[in-house]
Amino acid sequence: MTEATSFPMANGLSEHAAGAGTPPRGGRAWKFGDHVDTDAIIPARHCNTADPRALAAHCMEDADPGFAAAVRPGDVIVGGVNFGCGSSREVAPIAIKAAGVSAVIAASFARIFFRNAINLGLPILECPAAAAAIDAGHIVEVTPATGAIFDRTTGETYQAEPFPDFLMQIIAAGGLLNYAQARLTERR
Amino acid sequence: MGQNIAEKILAAHAGRVSVRPGEFLNASVDLVLASELSGVVALREFERIEGARIFDPDKVVFVFDHFTPNKDIASAEIVRECRAFALRTGIRYYDVGRAGIQHVLLPEQGLVSPGDIVAGADSHTCTYGALGAFGTGVGSTDAAVAMALGELWLRVPESIKVVYHGHLRPWVTAKDVIIHTIGILGVDGARYQAIEFAGEAIQAIDMAGRLTMANMAIEAGAKTGLIAPDDITRAFVEKAGGRLDRLYASDPDAEYARVIDVDVSDLEPMVAIPYLPENAREASTLGDVTIDQVVIGMCTNGNLADLRQAAAVLAGHKVHPRVRTIIIPGSQAVYLAALREGLIETFVEANCVVSTPTCGPCLGGHMGVLASGERCVSTSNRNFHGRMGHIDSQVYLASPAVAAAAAIAGRIVPPDAIDMVDETAFVAAKEPRHD
C-alpha cells in the first residue's frame, strides 16, 4: 500500500497526482476571475469574529453567494491573477480553509494572501496554465508538496512553481507557528 | 554594487552589509502593529506559542480603529479581548478617546521613525514608507510571531522607482498623483516589489501628501512605498518625537526592476472608478455621475492638510440635498486642530457630519454603509465590489478637494467647477506644514 492510499481522500480520487510521500487532495473546481479581493473572500461585515466556522459560512459570499452552502470538503478554488488582493485579513485564508477547500490554484497571488497561506498551511499553487485551463466543475487533484496538478476531467497535468527552500522550511514545519516555536526553543 | 533604500533597511535589520532581491531573510522589527480585528487573531496565535513572551512591550502596539466605537456586541467582545491582552502583557494600546486611525496616529505619535521596519497586521502599513520606514502589511500569524521573536520573514523585493517631474497645478494633489500612478502600474504592477517615489515633484509634496501616496502603494500590489527622508521628513519626525539616526537614501548606482518617469505638470484632478483602484480617470471627463454619499478623511486622507483642502472647497456652500457627507479626521489630534482652526464649523455649516476617527465606512463596517445601487465618492483607497456596503454599491476614489466638490454638486466634478469663497485656505494647506 502506498502512503497515498493510506490517507482517506475526498471524492474517491485517484493516486495520479501523488508524489513526495504526500497524498493528492482535491475535488470539484470553483472558478473565479482576476483580482479576487479579500472583501470578496470574506466581507468585512463578517469580520467581527475570529471563529473559523462562522467565517466559513460566508466564504466567497460577495464573489459567489452560493459557494459556502455548496462547497464540499476537498474542493479546489481556481483564480486568475492577483488572487487575494486587498486587505491583510488572515480570516480570508482561514475562511477558505475552514470551508474545506483543499487548495487554491491561481495565475498569481497578492503578496499578503500568499504569506498568510504559507503561514497557515493553506496549500496554494501558482500556475497560470492550470488557472486558465481548468473550468468550473472539473475534478481536480493537487499535490501541494510537489506542485503537481491533475485535471481528471480533461486528463491534463500541470506543474506549479516550486516554492523556495526558505518557504519549504515553514511549510514542512506545518506553518509559521511551529517554525517560530522551533526558533524560540533554539534561542533558549 | 549600489543599494536602494529598501535593500539598505532590510540589510541593517538582518545583520548584513548588503542584500539582493529574491533573497529570503529573517529581519528584526522595530514595531509590530495590529487593529482589533487583526489583533484578536494575532493574540490567540501568540498564546499558542509555548513559552512566548512579548519581545519588547514598547515595540508592540494595538490600535482599536476598525469597528470602534464598538459597532455591535461581537466587535465589543473582540476589543475587550484585545484590551485585556494589552493590559496583561504591557504592550501599548490606543482605545477610544486616545486612538486614531493607525496610519495617521502612529506617525503623529512619533512611533515610526525613518529606517524602521514596521510589521503591521493591516495592509496599509505601507503608509510609513512616507517617512523612509519599511512599513509592510502582514497577517495576524506574522504579527503573533513578530510579537514573540521580534522578527519577520521577508523576501527582499525588487524595487520600482517612480520619478515625478514638474509642478502640480492648483487643485491637483498627492491623491491625484497616486491614482494616476496606480493607473500606470496596474493593481498588481508592483506585486512582491517595493516602490520608491522620487523626483522634484515629490520633494515639493508635504508630509500629509506623502503619507497619502505611500498609503496606496499596496493598491499596486507593493510591499511598501518608500520616500527618501529630506528636510520635510526631518521636521515632521522631530516634532513627533521620533528618531533621526537612520536616514537612508538610495545609492546613485542602485538597481531597479523598472524606472518610470512621470511628468505631473499637466495632471488633472483624478478619480478611480469602480471596481479597481487602477481605473484612473480625469474627474472632468466622467460626465453626469450622480452620487449619494461622500466620505472625506480616513487613513488615506485623514490628516489636517486633507481636511483643510476639503474645507476650502466647502466653505460657504451647502452639501447637495441628495448627498450625505461624512468627515472622518484621522486622529484625536487632527480632530482638535480642525476644531480650533474652524474647519469643523465649516463642515457642520455645510451640512456634513463629523465622525470620531474610525476606519468604519471604508470597509463597509459602520458609520456610512452603502445600500444597493448607491454611489459614493470616498477619499479612501479601495473601490472593490461591495467594499463600502452592498455588493451592488459603487465607490469612486478621489482627493478631499474632488470629494468636497462632488458633495456640493451632487455629481463628480473637478474642484474648480465650484465657486470658491476662500481660495487662500487651500493655498495655506499646500504649504509644507507639519502639524
Side-chain angles (χ1 to χ4, degrees), chain A residues 38 85-89 111-112, chain B residues 33 38 66 102-103 120-127 135-139 214-219 222-224 299 381-382 387:
Chain A
T38 54
C85 62
S87 92
S88 68
R89 66 189 70 154
R111 59 163 289 271
I112 306 178
Chain B
L33 167 69
S38 59
H66 276 58
Q102 295 166 74
H103 312 308
D122 188 277
S123 60
H124 293 107
T125 305
C126 52
T127 306
T136 192
V138 299
N215 177 271
M216 289 189 71
I218 179 71
E219 309 316 331
K223 197 169 269 191
T224 191
C299 77
N381 40 41
R382 291 194 172 130
R387 172 70 181 179

PDB file of all heavy atoms in Angstrom, chain A residues 38 85-89 111-112, chain B residues 33 38 66 102-103 120-127 135-139 214-219 222-224 299 381-382 387:
ATOM      1  N   THR A  38      -9.892  40.325  -0.899  1.00  0.00           N
ATOM      2  CA  THR A  38     -10.250  39.693   0.377  1.00  0.00           C
ATOM      3  C   THR A  38     -11.642  40.127   0.848  1.00  0.00           C
ATOM      4  O   THR A  38     -12.261  39.428   1.639  1.00  0.00           O
ATOM      5  CB  THR A  38      -9.215  40.005   1.468  1.00  0.00           C
ATOM      6  OG1 THR A  38      -9.043  41.406   1.558  1.00  0.00           O
ATOM      7  CG2 THR A  38      -7.888  39.326   1.177  1.00  0.00           C
ATOM      8  N   CYS A  85      -6.016  39.885  -3.337  1.00  0.00           N
ATOM      9  CA  CYS A  85      -5.536  41.256  -3.182  1.00  0.00           C
ATOM     10  C   CYS A  85      -6.402  42.007  -2.173  1.00  0.00           C
ATOM     11  O   CYS A  85      -7.471  41.546  -1.791  1.00  0.00           O
ATOM     12  CB  CYS A  85      -5.533  41.975  -4.526  1.00  0.00           C
ATOM     13  SG  CYS A  85      -7.148  42.145  -5.288  1.00  0.00           S
ATOM     14  N   GLY A  86      -5.910  43.166  -1.745  1.00  0.00           N
ATOM     15  CA  GLY A  86      -6.667  43.972  -0.789  1.00  0.00           C
ATOM     16  C   GLY A  86      -6.127  43.838   0.610  1.00  0.00           C
ATOM     17  O   GLY A  86      -4.913  43.844   0.810  1.00  0.00           O
ATOM     18  N   SER A  87      -7.027  43.672   1.545  1.00  0.00           N
ATOM     19  CA  SER A  87      -6.655  43.779   2.961  1.00  0.00           C
ATOM     20  C   SER A  87      -5.770  42.628   3.402  1.00  0.00           C
ATOM     21  O   SER A  87      -5.628  41.619   2.722  1.00  0.00           O
ATOM     22  CB  SER A  87      -7.906  43.827   3.829  1.00  0.00           C
ATOM     23  OG  SER A  87      -8.278  42.543   4.252  1.00  0.00           O
ATOM     24  N   SER A  88      -5.178  42.793   4.588  1.00  0.00           N
ATOM     25  CA  SER A  88      -4.260  41.779   5.126  1.00  0.00           C
ATOM     26  C   SER A  88      -5.002  40.710   5.897  1.00  0.00           C
ATOM     27  O   SER A  88      -4.392  39.820   6.452  1.00  0.00           O
ATOM     28  CB  SER A  88      -3.249  42.457   6.052  1.00  0.00           C
ATOM     29  OG  SER A  88      -3.904  42.940   7.207  1.00  0.00           O
ATOM     30  N   ARG A  89      -6.342  40.795   5.921  1.00  0.00           N
ATOM     31  CA  ARG A  89      -7.106  39.947   6.833  1.00  0.00           C
ATOM     32  C   ARG A  89      -6.777  38.462   6.664  1.00  0.00           C
ATOM     33  O   ARG A  89      -6.997  37.868   5.621  1.00  0.00           O
ATOM     34  CB  ARG A  89      -8.606  40.226   6.705  1.00  0.00           C
ATOM     35  CG  ARG A  89      -9.239  39.870   5.413  1.00  0.00           C
ATOM     36  CD  ARG A  89     -10.682  40.395   5.332  1.00  0.00           C
ATOM     37  NE  ARG A  89     -10.706  41.848   5.221  1.00  0.00           N
ATOM     38  CZ  ARG A  89     -11.692  42.539   4.654  1.00  0.00           C
ATOM     39  NH1 ARG A  89     -12.745  41.936   4.169  1.00  0.00           N
ATOM     40  NH2 ARG A  89     -11.640  43.864   4.587  1.00  0.00           N
ATOM     41  N   ARG A 111       0.525  39.519  -2.404  1.00  0.00           N
ATOM     42  CA  ARG A 111       1.601  39.101  -1.509  1.00  0.00           C
ATOM     43  C   ARG A 111       1.167  38.803  -0.079  1.00  0.00           C
ATOM     44  O   ARG A 111       1.682  37.883   0.540  1.00  0.00           O
ATOM     45  CB  ARG A 111       2.751  40.122  -1.494  1.00  0.00           C
ATOM     46  CG  ARG A 111       2.377  41.520  -1.064  1.00  0.00           C
ATOM     47  CD  ARG A 111       3.618  42.315  -0.700  1.00  0.00           C
ATOM     48  NE  ARG A 111       4.192  41.841   0.544  1.00  0.00           N
ATOM     49  CZ  ARG A 111       3.837  42.305   1.742  1.00  0.00           C
ATOM     50  NH1 ARG A 111       2.918  43.230   1.854  1.00  0.00           N
ATOM     51  NH2 ARG A 111       4.406  41.826   2.826  1.00  0.00           N
ATOM     52  N   ILE A 112       0.222  39.542   0.473  1.00  0.00           N
ATOM     53  CA  ILE A 112      -0.136  39.266   1.874  1.00  0.00           C
ATOM     54  C   ILE A 112      -0.943  37.973   1.956  1.00  0.00           C
ATOM     55  O   ILE A 112      -0.745  37.171   2.863  1.00  0.00           O
ATOM     56  CB  ILE A 112      -0.899  40.443   2.521  1.00  0.00           C
ATOM     57  CG1 ILE A 112      -0.103  41.751   2.358  1.00  0.00           C
ATOM     58  CG2 ILE A 112      -1.132  40.171   4.009  1.00  0.00           C
ATOM     59  CD1 ILE A 112      -0.800  42.986   2.920  1.00  0.00           C
TER      60      ILE A 112
ATOM     61  N   LEU B  33       2.324  45.971  14.774  1.00  0.00           N
ATOM     62  CA  LEU B  33       1.083  46.726  14.846  1.00  0.00           C
ATOM     63  C   LEU B  33      -0.105  45.841  14.501  1.00  0.00           C
ATOM     64  O   LEU B  33      -0.015  44.992  13.618  1.00  0.00           O
ATOM     65  CB  LEU B  33       1.179  47.870  13.827  1.00  0.00           C
ATOM     66  CG  LEU B  33      -0.087  48.641  13.458  1.00  0.00           C
ATOM     67  CD1 LEU B  33      -0.549  49.466  14.647  1.00  0.00           C
ATOM     68  CD2 LEU B  33       0.190  49.540  12.265  1.00  0.00           C
ATOM     69  N   SER B  38      -7.405  42.376  13.421  1.00  0.00           N
ATOM     70  CA  SER B  38      -6.247  41.500  13.191  1.00  0.00           C
ATOM     71  C   SER B  38      -5.604  41.116  14.521  1.00  0.00           C
ATOM     72  O   SER B  38      -5.004  40.052  14.639  1.00  0.00           O
ATOM     73  CB  SER B  38      -5.225  42.195  12.284  1.00  0.00           C
ATOM     74  OG  SER B  38      -4.771  43.405  12.862  1.00  0.00           O
ATOM     75  N   HIS B  66     -10.982  49.855  13.706  1.00  0.00           N
ATOM     76  CA  HIS B  66     -11.804  49.427  12.568  1.00  0.00           C
ATOM     77  C   HIS B  66     -13.303  49.533  12.858  1.00  0.00           C
ATOM     78  O   HIS B  66     -14.037  50.169  12.104  1.00  0.00           O
ATOM     79  CB  HIS B  66     -11.429  48.011  12.140  1.00  0.00           C
ATOM     80  CG  HIS B  66     -10.259  47.965  11.206  1.00  0.00           C
ATOM     81  ND1 HIS B  66      -9.031  48.481  11.535  1.00  0.00           N
ATOM     82  CD2 HIS B  66     -10.126  47.478   9.951  1.00  0.00           C
ATOM     83  CE1 HIS B  66      -8.201  48.316  10.508  1.00  0.00           C
ATOM     84  NE2 HIS B  66      -8.847  47.704   9.535  1.00  0.00           N
ATOM     85  N   GLN B 102      -4.862  54.006  12.680  1.00  0.00           N
ATOM     86  CA  GLN B 102      -3.456  53.596  12.835  1.00  0.00           C
ATOM     87  C   GLN B 102      -2.469  54.445  12.038  1.00  0.00           C
ATOM     88  O   GLN B 102      -1.481  54.920  12.577  1.00  0.00           O
ATOM     89  CB  GLN B 102      -3.280  52.140  12.361  1.00  0.00           C
ATOM     90  CG  GLN B 102      -4.016  51.117  13.173  1.00  0.00           C
ATOM     91  CD  GLN B 102      -4.074  49.768  12.468  1.00  0.00           C
ATOM     92  OE1 GLN B 102      -3.077  49.060  12.405  1.00  0.00           O
ATOM     93  NE2 GLN B 102      -5.228  49.410  11.949  1.00  0.00           N
ATOM     94  N   HIS B 103      -2.742  54.601  10.746  1.00  0.00           N
ATOM     95  CA  HIS B 103      -1.709  55.158   9.874  1.00  0.00           C
ATOM     96  C   HIS B 103      -1.646  56.677   9.910  1.00  0.00           C
ATOM     97  O   HIS B 103      -0.743  57.276   9.342  1.00  0.00           O
ATOM     98  CB  HIS B 103      -1.899  54.613   8.456  1.00  0.00           C
ATOM     99  CG  HIS B 103      -2.087  53.132   8.468  1.00  0.00           C
ATOM    100  ND1 HIS B 103      -1.194  52.301   9.127  1.00  0.00           N
ATOM    101  CD2 HIS B 103      -3.079  52.330   8.014  1.00  0.00           C
ATOM    102  CE1 HIS B 103      -1.626  51.056   9.035  1.00  0.00           C
ATOM    103  NE2 HIS B 103      -2.770  51.043   8.374  1.00  0.00           N
ATOM    104  N   GLY B 120       2.980  45.392  10.226  1.00  0.00           N
ATOM    105  CA  GLY B 120       1.632  45.758  10.637  1.00  0.00           C
ATOM    106  C   GLY B 120       0.605  44.783  10.085  1.00  0.00           C
ATOM    107  O   GLY B 120       0.578  44.525   8.878  1.00  0.00           O
ATOM    108  N   ALA B 121      -0.236  44.259  10.986  1.00  0.00           N
ATOM    109  CA  ALA B 121      -1.309  43.374  10.532  1.00  0.00           C
ATOM    110  C   ALA B 121      -2.444  44.239  10.005  1.00  0.00           C
ATOM    111  O   ALA B 121      -3.573  44.230  10.510  1.00  0.00           O
ATOM    112  CB  ALA B 121      -1.764  42.460  11.658  1.00  0.00           C
ATOM    113  N   ASP B 122      -2.098  45.016   9.025  1.00  0.00           N
ATOM    114  CA  ASP B 122      -3.034  45.873   8.298  1.00  0.00           C
ATOM    115  C   ASP B 122      -2.349  46.228   6.984  1.00  0.00           C
ATOM    116  O   ASP B 122      -1.184  46.646   6.989  1.00  0.00           O
ATOM    117  CB  ASP B 122      -3.360  47.147   9.080  1.00  0.00           C
ATOM    118  CG  ASP B 122      -4.466  47.923   8.393  1.00  0.00           C
ATOM    119  OD1 ASP B 122      -4.159  48.690   7.449  1.00  0.00           O
ATOM    120  OD2 ASP B 122      -5.638  47.757   8.765  1.00  0.00           O
ATOM    121  N   SER B 123      -3.055  46.042   5.886  1.00  0.00           N
ATOM    122  CA  SER B 123      -2.385  46.148   4.586  1.00  0.00           C
ATOM    123  C   SER B 123      -1.837  47.551   4.309  1.00  0.00           C
ATOM    124  O   SER B 123      -0.895  47.698   3.543  1.00  0.00           O
ATOM    125  CB  SER B 123      -3.339  45.728   3.479  1.00  0.00           C
ATOM    126  OG  SER B 123      -4.480  46.551   3.470  1.00  0.00           O
ATOM    127  N   HIS B 124      -2.414  48.565   4.957  1.00  0.00           N
ATOM    128  CA  HIS B 124      -1.948  49.926   4.672  1.00  0.00           C
ATOM    129  C   HIS B 124      -0.781  50.382   5.546  1.00  0.00           C
ATOM    130  O   HIS B 124      -0.458  51.575   5.603  1.00  0.00           O
ATOM    131  CB  HIS B 124      -3.131  50.900   4.702  1.00  0.00           C
ATOM    132  CG  HIS B 124      -4.079  50.625   3.579  1.00  0.00           C
ATOM    133  ND1 HIS B 124      -5.309  50.044   3.764  1.00  0.00           N
ATOM    134  CD2 HIS B 124      -3.930  50.775   2.244  1.00  0.00           C
ATOM    135  CE1 HIS B 124      -5.892  49.863   2.584  1.00  0.00           C
ATOM    136  NE2 HIS B 124      -5.077  50.294   1.648  1.00  0.00           N
ATOM    137  N   THR B 125      -0.117  49.409   6.172  1.00  0.00           N
ATOM    138  CA  THR B 125       1.103  49.699   6.930  1.00  0.00           C
ATOM    139  C   THR B 125       2.191  50.278   6.017  1.00  0.00           C
ATOM    140  O   THR B 125       3.131  50.919   6.490  1.00  0.00           O
ATOM    141  CB  THR B 125       1.587  48.408   7.632  1.00  0.00           C
ATOM    142  OG1 THR B 125       0.506  47.897   8.422  1.00  0.00           O
ATOM    143  CG2 THR B 125       2.767  48.648   8.531  1.00  0.00           C
ATOM    144  N   CYS B 126       2.041  50.084   4.713  1.00  0.00           N
ATOM    145  CA  CYS B 126       2.976  50.673   3.750  1.00  0.00           C
ATOM    146  C   CYS B 126       3.002  52.200   3.817  1.00  0.00           C
ATOM    147  O   CYS B 126       3.925  52.832   3.295  1.00  0.00           O
ATOM    148  CB  CYS B 126       2.643  50.209   2.338  1.00  0.00           C
ATOM    149  SG  CYS B 126       0.920  50.466   1.869  1.00  0.00           S
ATOM    150  N   THR B 127       2.014  52.792   4.491  1.00  0.00           N
ATOM    151  CA  THR B 127       1.954  54.252   4.655  1.00  0.00           C
ATOM    152  C   THR B 127       3.264  54.826   5.205  1.00  0.00           C
ATOM    153  O   THR B 127       3.671  55.937   4.846  1.00  0.00           O
ATOM    154  CB  THR B 127       0.802  54.612   5.630  1.00  0.00           C
ATOM    155  OG1 THR B 127      -0.412  54.025   5.163  1.00  0.00           O
ATOM    156  CG2 THR B 127       0.620  56.121   5.752  1.00  0.00           C
ATOM    157  N   GLY B 135       7.539  50.048   6.140  1.00  0.00           N
ATOM    158  CA  GLY B 135       6.281  49.578   6.703  1.00  0.00           C
ATOM    159  C   GLY B 135       5.682  48.582   5.742  1.00  0.00           C
ATOM    160  O   GLY B 135       5.607  48.856   4.540  1.00  0.00           O
ATOM    161  N   THR B 136       5.257  47.439   6.254  1.00  0.00           N
ATOM    162  CA  THR B 136       4.690  46.449   5.342  1.00  0.00           C
ATOM    163  C   THR B 136       3.547  45.689   5.999  1.00  0.00           C
ATOM    164  O   THR B 136       3.613  45.353   7.186  1.00  0.00           O
ATOM    165  CB  THR B 136       5.788  45.487   4.810  1.00  0.00           C
ATOM    166  OG1 THR B 136       5.255  44.736   3.715  1.00  0.00           O
ATOM    167  CG2 THR B 136       6.302  44.543   5.881  1.00  0.00           C
ATOM    168  N   GLY B 137       2.507  45.439   5.234  1.00  0.00           N
ATOM    169  CA  GLY B 137       1.338  44.733   5.728  1.00  0.00           C
ATOM    170  C   GLY B 137       1.619  43.249   5.816  1.00  0.00           C
ATOM    171  O   GLY B 137       2.216  42.662   4.901  1.00  0.00           O
ATOM    172  N   VAL B 138       1.210  42.646   6.914  1.00  0.00           N
ATOM    173  CA  VAL B 138       1.409  41.208   7.129  1.00  0.00           C
ATOM    174  C   VAL B 138       0.123  40.630   7.701  1.00  0.00           C
ATOM    175  O   VAL B 138      -0.833  41.358   7.981  1.00  0.00           O
ATOM    176  CB  VAL B 138       2.598  40.940   8.081  1.00  0.00           C
ATOM    177  CG1 VAL B 138       3.896  41.495   7.501  1.00  0.00           C
ATOM    178  CG2 VAL B 138       2.346  41.510   9.474  1.00  0.00           C
ATOM    179  N   GLY B 139       0.123  39.327   7.922  1.00  0.00           N
ATOM    180  CA  GLY B 139      -1.042  38.687   8.504  1.00  0.00           C
ATOM    181  C   GLY B 139      -0.963  38.661  10.024  1.00  0.00           C
ATOM    182  O   GLY B 139       0.010  39.118  10.620  1.00  0.00           O
ATOM    183  N   ALA B 214       2.129  56.953  -0.133  1.00  0.00           N
ATOM    184  CA  ALA B 214       2.683  55.682   0.353  1.00  0.00           C
ATOM    185  C   ALA B 214       1.562  54.741   0.795  1.00  0.00           C
ATOM    186  O   ALA B 214       1.645  53.527   0.604  1.00  0.00           O
ATOM    187  CB  ALA B 214       3.642  55.953   1.509  1.00  0.00           C
ATOM    188  N   ASN B 215       0.491  55.315   1.352  1.00  0.00           N
ATOM    189  CA  ASN B 215      -0.670  54.530   1.803  1.00  0.00           C
ATOM    190  C   ASN B 215      -1.201  53.635   0.696  1.00  0.00           C
ATOM    191  O   ASN B 215      -1.631  52.501   0.935  1.00  0.00           O
ATOM    192  CB  ASN B 215      -1.749  55.511   2.283  1.00  0.00           C
ATOM    193  CG  ASN B 215      -3.042  54.836   2.709  1.00  0.00           C
ATOM    194  OD1 ASN B 215      -3.923  54.616   1.890  1.00  0.00           O
ATOM    195  ND2 ASN B 215      -3.154  54.503   3.986  1.00  0.00           N
ATOM    196  N   MET B 216      -1.169  54.142  -0.540  1.00  0.00           N
ATOM    197  CA  MET B 216      -1.789  53.413  -1.642  1.00  0.00           C
ATOM    198  C   MET B 216      -0.811  52.548  -2.431  1.00  0.00           C
ATOM    199  O   MET B 216      -1.175  51.959  -3.453  1.00  0.00           O
ATOM    200  CB  MET B 216      -2.554  54.365  -2.552  1.00  0.00           C
ATOM    201  CG  MET B 216      -3.818  54.894  -1.851  1.00  0.00           C
ATOM    202  SD  MET B 216      -4.946  55.818  -2.917  1.00  0.00           S
ATOM    203  CE  MET B 216      -5.638  54.534  -3.948  1.00  0.00           C
ATOM    204  N   ALA B 217       0.419  52.408  -1.947  1.00  0.00           N
ATOM    205  CA  ALA B 217       1.386  51.525  -2.628  1.00  0.00           C
ATOM    206  C   ALA B 217       0.840  50.103  -2.732  1.00  0.00           C
ATOM    207  O   ALA B 217       1.007  49.430  -3.754  1.00  0.00           O
ATOM    208  CB  ALA B 217       2.723  51.530  -1.887  1.00  0.00           C
ATOM    209  N   ILE B 218       0.149  49.655  -1.680  1.00  0.00           N
ATOM    210  CA  ILE B 218      -0.430  48.301  -1.678  1.00  0.00           C
ATOM    211  C   ILE B 218      -1.467  48.151  -2.789  1.00  0.00           C
ATOM    212  O   ILE B 218      -1.694  47.042  -3.273  1.00  0.00           O
ATOM    213  CB  ILE B 218      -1.050  47.967  -0.296  1.00  0.00           C
ATOM    214  CG1 ILE B 218      -1.690  46.575  -0.241  1.00  0.00           C
ATOM    215  CG2 ILE B 218      -2.116  48.985   0.111  1.00  0.00           C
ATOM    216  CD1 ILE B 218      -0.749  45.433  -0.255  1.00  0.00           C
ATOM    217  N   GLU B 219      -2.080  49.242  -3.208  1.00  0.00           N
ATOM    218  CA  GLU B 219      -3.099  49.146  -4.268  1.00  0.00           C
ATOM    219  C   GLU B 219      -2.470  48.867  -5.636  1.00  0.00           C
ATOM    220  O   GLU B 219      -3.174  48.605  -6.604  1.00  0.00           O
ATOM    221  CB  GLU B 219      -3.979  50.393  -4.313  1.00  0.00           C
ATOM    222  CG  GLU B 219      -4.596  50.830  -2.986  1.00  0.00           C
ATOM    223  CD  GLU B 219      -5.188  49.709  -2.138  1.00  0.00           C
ATOM    224  OE1 GLU B 219      -5.640  48.689  -2.706  1.00  0.00           O
ATOM    225  OE2 GLU B 219      -5.176  49.836  -0.896  1.00  0.00           O
ATOM    226  N   ALA B 222       2.211  46.498  -3.978  1.00  0.00           N
ATOM    227  CA  ALA B 222       3.575  46.617  -3.449  1.00  0.00           C
ATOM    228  C   ALA B 222       3.683  46.267  -1.970  1.00  0.00           C
ATOM    229  O   ALA B 222       2.726  46.352  -1.209  1.00  0.00           O
ATOM    230  CB  ALA B 222       4.102  48.032  -3.676  1.00  0.00           C
ATOM    231  N   LYS B 223       4.902  45.904  -1.595  1.00  0.00           N
ATOM    232  CA  LYS B 223       5.236  45.545  -0.226  1.00  0.00           C
ATOM    233  C   LYS B 223       5.355  46.801   0.622  1.00  0.00           C
ATOM    234  O   LYS B 223       5.006  46.817   1.797  1.00  0.00           O
ATOM    235  CB  LYS B 223       6.571  44.792  -0.270  1.00  0.00           C
ATOM    236  CG  LYS B 223       6.910  44.006   0.934  1.00  0.00           C
ATOM    237  CD  LYS B 223       8.109  43.092   0.658  1.00  0.00           C
ATOM    238  CE  LYS B 223       7.688  41.737   0.173  1.00  0.00           C
ATOM    239  NZ  LYS B 223       8.788  40.761   0.151  1.00  0.00           N
ATOM    240  N   THR B 224       5.877  47.866   0.032  1.00  0.00           N
ATOM    241  CA  THR B 224       5.963  49.155   0.702  1.00  0.00           C
ATOM    242  C   THR B 224       6.161  50.221  -0.366  1.00  0.00           C
ATOM    243  O   THR B 224       6.427  49.893  -1.524  1.00  0.00           O
ATOM    244  CB  THR B 224       7.114  49.173   1.745  1.00  0.00           C
ATOM    245  OG1 THR B 224       7.010  50.340   2.563  1.00  0.00           O
ATOM    246  CG2 THR B 224       8.473  49.137   1.074  1.00  0.00           C
ATOM    247  N   CYS B 299      -7.688  56.746   6.630  1.00  0.00           N
ATOM    248  CA  CYS B 299      -6.227  56.601   6.710  1.00  0.00           C
ATOM    249  C   CYS B 299      -5.519  57.194   5.501  1.00  0.00           C
ATOM    250  O   CYS B 299      -4.367  57.592   5.593  1.00  0.00           O
ATOM    251  CB  CYS B 299      -5.810  55.154   6.960  1.00  0.00           C
ATOM    252  SG  CYS B 299      -5.882  54.025   5.554  1.00  0.00           S
ATOM    253  N   ASN B 381      -9.062  54.245  -0.101  1.00  0.00           N
ATOM    254  CA  ASN B 381      -8.083  53.665  -1.019  1.00  0.00           C
ATOM    255  C   ASN B 381      -8.570  52.451  -1.826  1.00  0.00           C
ATOM    256  O   ASN B 381      -7.845  51.924  -2.645  1.00  0.00           O
ATOM    257  CB  ASN B 381      -6.818  53.282  -0.229  1.00  0.00           C
ATOM    258  CG  ASN B 381      -7.181  52.670   1.116  1.00  0.00           C
ATOM    259  OD1 ASN B 381      -8.120  51.886   1.189  1.00  0.00           O
ATOM    260  ND2 ASN B 381      -6.458  53.038   2.166  1.00  0.00           N
ATOM    261  N   ARG B 382      -9.790  51.975  -1.555  1.00  0.00           N
ATOM    262  CA  ARG B 382     -10.264  50.776  -2.265  1.00  0.00           C
ATOM    263  C   ARG B 382     -11.679  50.985  -2.783  1.00  0.00           C
ATOM    264  O   ARG B 382     -12.524  51.527  -2.077  1.00  0.00           O
ATOM    265  CB  ARG B 382     -10.238  49.549  -1.337  1.00  0.00           C
ATOM    266  CG  ARG B 382      -8.830  49.158  -1.016  1.00  0.00           C
ATOM    267  CD  ARG B 382      -8.707  47.778  -0.399  1.00  0.00           C
ATOM    268  NE  ARG B 382      -7.292  47.501  -0.325  1.00  0.00           N
ATOM    269  CZ  ARG B 382      -6.655  47.066   0.765  1.00  0.00           C
ATOM    270  NH1 ARG B 382      -7.333  46.793   1.857  1.00  0.00           N
ATOM    271  NH2 ARG B 382      -5.369  46.883   0.734  1.00  0.00           N
ATOM    272  N   ARG B 387     -17.187  47.049  -1.351  1.00  0.00           N
ATOM    273  CA  ARG B 387     -16.206  47.472  -0.341  1.00  0.00           C
ATOM    274  C   ARG B 387     -16.855  48.286   0.788  1.00  0.00           C
ATOM    275  O   ARG B 387     -16.537  48.126   1.951  1.00  0.00           O
ATOM    276  CB  ARG B 387     -15.106  48.295  -1.027  1.00  0.00           C
ATOM    277  CG  ARG B 387     -14.118  48.971  -0.073  1.00  0.00           C
ATOM    278  CD  ARG B 387     -13.210  47.981   0.606  1.00  0.00           C
ATOM    279  NE  ARG B 387     -12.304  48.661   1.523  1.00  0.00           N
ATOM    280  CZ  ARG B 387     -11.404  48.043   2.283  1.00  0.00           C
ATOM    281  NH1 ARG B 387     -11.285  46.742   2.259  1.00  0.00           N
ATOM    282  NH2 ARG B 387     -10.619  48.736   3.069  1.00  0.00           N
TER     283      ARG B 387
END
